[in-house]
Amino acid sequence: MLRIKPSIEVVDGKMIVGKKYRGNFDRCIVNYVKTVLKIMMTSIIQECLLLIPISSETVLKVREAIEQYASFEEIIETTPDVPFRLTADQTH
């Protein structure tokens, strides 16, 4: 098995297949985070929202990748069952 995991991107309001990652899930998610952070680093972003529908071991790997490849003032972890809402001072 090739174990290919495609990323999904929204372009012009449509969902398309983006970059394809190969390997186990943890490796793919860390490589995806690195790719996204490279794109995001062109903007001034102070907070990072990490939505966690994944295992705690994978969360740790993702958090380590975020900390290694970017410098956010805050990394906010949340789960799909806990709604996250930006307060007025968090919107830019």
Side-chain angles (χ1 to χ4, degrees):
M1 282 286 181
L2 295 176
R3 299 185 298 175
I4 296 174
K5 290 145 186 86
S7 64
I8 305 298
E9 299 176 5
V10 178
V11 176
D12 297 326
K14 296 180 182 179
M15 294 176 67
I16 63 166
V17 175
K19 185 174 179 176
K20 296 175 183 85
Y21 299 89
R22 191 166 46 158
N24 68 37
F25 182 76
D26 287 355
R27 177 179 166 189
C28 290
I29 197 78
V30 168
N31 286 330
Y32 172 77
V33 166
K34 290 176 4 183
T35 300
V36 170
L37 289 175
K38 285 179 187 175
I39 295 167
M40 289 176 54
M41 295 319 290
T42 60
S43 303
I44 300 173
I45 301 172
Q46 296 176 340
E47 296 91 15
C48 176
L49 177 62
L50 176 56
L51 183 63
I52 311 169
I54 50 181
S55 72
S56 57
E57 295 85 19
T58 303
V59 170
L60 181 61
K61 290 178 182 178
V62 170
R63 181 178 267 281
E64 288 171 353
I66 291 170
E67 291 171 349
Q68 181 178 359
Y69 297 104
S71 57
F72 292 101
E73 289 181 11
E74 183 177 14
I75 299 173
I76 303 164
E77 293 182 16
T78 187
T79 57
D81 59 331
V82 177
F84 178 80
R85 290 187 176 82
L86 292 174
T87 60
D89 60 330
Q90 290 175 303
T91 58
H92 300 284

